[in-house]
Amino acid sequence: MAQSSAPKREFRAAWIATVGNIDWPSKQGLSAQQQQQEFITHLNFLQRTGFNAVIVQIRPAADALYNSPYEPWSRYLSGKQGQPPFPKYDPLEFMIHECHKRNMEFHAWFNPYRALVTSSSNPNPANHATRLHPDWIIHYGGKSYFDPGNPAAREYILKVMLDVVERYDIDAVHIDDYFYPYPIAGKAFPDQSSFNKYNNGLTLADWRRENVNLFVSQLNSNIKKEKSWVKFGVSPFGIWRNDNVDPEGSATRGSSCYDELYSDVRLWIQRKWVDYVAPQLYWEHNHRVAAYDVLLPWWKENTGQRHTYIGLGLYRMLNATSFPWNSPNEILKQIRAAPAVHTNGFVFYSASNFNKIKPALIDSLQQNYFGNIAIPPAMPWIDNIAPPSPTVKIGSSQTGTFLLWEDDKSVKEPLKYLVYRFGADEKINLANADKIIALTSSKKFMDAEGGKNNFRYVVTALDRLWNESEQSNIVSPQVQ
């Protein structure tokens, strides 16, 4: 795929996991300055490579990488649960600011149900939910979970998540694939007590699914009630259902969202409770149980009017010595396959793996796939009203061509701008991503190459949901 055919709108993101210090911070107990520098290094690399969003885990296990009124500071920051980073700062505020400075989206990733990473160790203070409400907690497989069947536990989790929506300028709420835990052979999840109390005549499996459905639908409606523009996305396990148990499922034979994790993602899409899905398609083409080439079209066919961002298993390349993960070819093949079924973007798991693999994949992304400036797809079901177009003035100097613009003073939300540059005889075509030379929050731009050429320029305005205005007036150094 040559750069000229790269799309103008494509979601390009990386997950940044904090549980176990997988991606950030690299270890516990770093100073605030070291933590900030590490995050900036991640962002600078991603921006340089062509990414436009990050999905950062801010609540890994009923703890917080932000100043929460409900849960303790995460030990993944300071090394001690409940202890803020030193010198004290709010990492979430900092991360959002740094992303927005680079015109990148910040998706706040929550793990709703994980309460303790290790059941045998509860580092939380006496006023934490795991200690105040042991009846909300279920221990299973060495870990502890909030009981999805307990209405009070669900209410608590919603309260924690909506507090972030209310107080921080996030672009989206993101939840992963952990609903009911992955089953352990021969070991039942011990939720009999809440099932007996709340089952409403449903079977155990249907009741569990209904608990998760309730949580997802309430989370979505509450997010939109608080801030209508905040998106809600989910990253499910890659198989919804297998077609040997349901003809609507995929031609796969692995564990599934519906039957093992009790998460009916397809229903959430149909009911329009989510704005995007990022299925974790971490298998290669022709995999015998769950082939990428089978799952990719299945997800797109079942995403309806919502966006599909494909979750790519970058981590599979780590220390891989055998085909197909011992080279960048599989992931590049997966990226090439996606436009044919009209997906809307990609999310890589996970950010720090880019530093640990050979540079061939990064070089290909920068040169051939993410080489242009791309903006996230718009979500017209949330808002489809574009801002007014700006009015542009132009000037020239020895250092280049200088553009300056104004927009409608009645627009209250922060705007971003795309600067397009065309040759003297070229048709103005805003669909051509190659003609975008800048995405900026500023109302001015210097084109160092402008002075030597008789270019023509237009500028468009973008609102927070990436709705794009009509083009501005056309300006050229020769037409003033």
Side-chain angles (χ1 to χ4, degrees):
M1 182 169 99
Q3 184 182 321
S4 59
S5 62
K8 170 176 156 178
R9 287 187 181 269
E10 184 171 65
F11 188 74
R12 301 170 179 172
W15 278 291
I16 298 180
T18 57
V19 66
N21 298 96
I22 289 173
D23 292 311
W24 180 84
S26 62
K27 59 185 178 192
Q28 298 176 18
L30 296 178
S31 70
Q33 188 184 7
Q34 288 170 312
Q35 290 173 9
Q36 290 172 1
Q37 192 49 59
E38 279 191 358
F39 191 77
I40 285 171
T41 300
H42 277 307
L43 278 196
N44 286 346
F45 163 76
L46 291 168
Q47 185 186 29
R48 197 166 60 243
T49 308
F51 286 76
N52 52 31
V54 289
I55 302 174
V56 183
Q57 191 176 35
I58 64 163
R59 183 189 187 250
D63 54 359
L65 278 91
Y66 59 95
N67 198 3
S68 169
Y70 304 112
E71 296 188 319
W73 285 99
S74 175
R75 63 193 165 102
Y76 300 123
L77 290 167
S78 67
K80 187 174 192 301
Q81 196 89 329
Q83 189 172 293
F86 183 82
K88 189 176 179 182
Y89 77 110
D90 189 325
L92 182 51
E93 209 169 74
F94 168 79
M95 291 188 289
I96 293 167
H97 174 75
E98 290 296 326
C99 281
H100 289 171
K101 199 162 87 179
R102 291 164 178 77
N103 301 301
M104 296 171 79
E105 284 197 339
F106 186 94
H107 292 222
W109 165 16
F110 297 82
N111 188 296
Y113 294 116
R114 183 164 52 207
L116 297 171
V117 173
T118 310
S119 294
S120 57
S121 164
N122 188 348
N124 294 303
N127 64 348
H128 187 253
T130 53
R131 295 192 181 278
L132 287 178
H133 301 283
D135 54 313
W136 293 358
I137 308 301
I138 292 179
H139 308 292
Y140 180 71
K143 294 180 169 57
S144 300
Y145 303 89
F146 287 96
D147 178 1
N150 185 306
R154 287 199 304 269
E155 283 300 319
Y156 167 77
I157 298 163
L158 287 169
K159 181 174 71 172
V160 167
M161 295 174 72
L162 290 161
D163 164 63
V164 171
V165 177
E166 183 189 340
R167 293 193 296 123
Y168 293 90
D169 189 20
I170 61 172
D171 298 292
V173 166
H174 180 94
I175 57 177
D176 53 28
D177 55 325
Y178 289 93
F179 299 101
Y180 280 83
Y182 285 87
I184 298 160
K187 200 170 166 58
F189 185 69
D191 58 353
Q192 199 62 42
S193 168
S194 52
F195 174 65
N196 291 343
K197 204 179 291 185
Y198 303 113
N199 69 69
N200 282 333
L202 296 171
T203 65
L204 178 64
D206 285 343
W207 172 74
R208 285 175 175 172
R209 274 186 288 273
E210 187 55 23
N211 294 331
V212 183
N213 291 343
L214 267 172
F215 174 77
V216 169
S217 64
Q218 288 176 326
L219 179 56
N220 176 58
S221 59
N222 283 318
I223 290 167
K224 297 298 190 284
K225 207 178 294 173
E226 182 61 46
K227 288 180 181 170
S228 60
W229 62 87
V230 172
K231 305 168 187 178
F232 174 37
V234 61
S235 172
F237 181 71
I239 300 171
W240 170 71
R241 277 196 111 182
N242 300 296
D243 65 1
N244 63 337
V245 291
D246 186 333
E248 299 292 320
S250 51
T252 48
R253 292 296 178 266
S255 299
S256 74
C257 296
Y258 186 96
D259 294 294
E260 276 87 8
L261 306 178
Y262 305 98
S263 50
D264 190 356
V265 188
R266 191 165 169 265
L267 178 78
W268 310 341
I269 297 163
Q270 290 168 345
R271 297 273 174 90
K272 301 181 177 176
W273 293 341
V274 293
D275 297 305
Y276 70 83
V277 286
Q280 298 171 19
L281 304 192
Y282 297 162
W283 304 278
E284 63 271 18
H285 282 76
N286 305 313
H287 187 279
R288 61 185 180 79
V289 170
Y292 179 85
D293 39 313
V294 168
L295 286 163
L296 175 71
W298 186 92
W299 277 102
K300 184 55 192 174
E301 281 162 21
N302 286 276
T303 312
Q305 297 170 322
R306 295 303 185 247
H307 289 166
T308 318
Y309 308 144
I310 300 303
L312 298 172
L314 179 65
Y315 74 97
R316 298 289 306 272
M317 291 179 66
L318 203 57
N319 305 318
T321 54
S322 59
F323 178 84
W325 297 102
N326 59 343
S327 86
N329 294 343
E330 176 60 32
I331 279 190
L332 294 175
K333 188 178 174 185
Q334 293 183 355
I335 291 170
R336 282 196 302 274
V341 297
H342 307 292
T343 57
N344 309 99
F346 305 96
V347 192
F348 289 75
Y349 187 83
S350 65
S352 63
N353 289 296
F354 281 113
N355 308 325
K356 300 169 187 170
I357 60 171
K358 290 176 182 168
L361 176 66
I362 297 150
D363 292 346
S364 276
L365 288 177
Q366 287 175 337
Q367 291 165 24
N368 303 317
Y369 295 91
F370 294 176
N372 65 310
I373 292 170
I375 58 174
M379 292 186 170
W381 58 88
I382 298 179
D383 170 18
N384 63 356
I385 301 164
S389 51
T391 305
V392 186
K393 293 176 181 169
I394 191 168
S396 289
S397 71
Q398 289 181 321
T399 53
T401 299
F402 190 71
L403 304 177
L404 197 64
W405 57 88
E406 290 178 4
D407 49 36
D408 193 317
K409 298 289 183 286
S410 67
V411 178
K412 295 289 182 274
E413 67 177 291
L415 297 177
K416 294 175 277 288
Y417 306 91
L418 285 176
V419 180
Y420 296 80
R421 182 179 68 196
F422 298 89
D425 303 318
E426 276 185 303
K427 186 181 174 220
I428 303 292
N429 175 14
L430 301 191
N432 187 347
D434 283 352
K435 300 302 171 184
I436 300 169
I437 58 169
L439 167 62
T440 178
S441 301
S442 174
K443 292 182 186 175
K444 57 188 179 185
F445 179 73
M446 170 66 80
D447 180 16
E449 293 179 35
K452 307 186 282 287
N453 299 282
N454 187 18
F455 290 128
R456 296 186 302 154
Y457 300 87
V458 298
V459 178
T460 60
L462 300 158
D463 65 14
R464 68 168 83 238
L465 280 162
W466 306 96
N467 291 306
E468 186 177 18
S469 73
E470 297 289 324
Q471 69 185 56
S472 69
N473 51 310
I474 301 168
V475 292
S476 163
Q478 307 303 312
V479 185
Q480 293 186 47

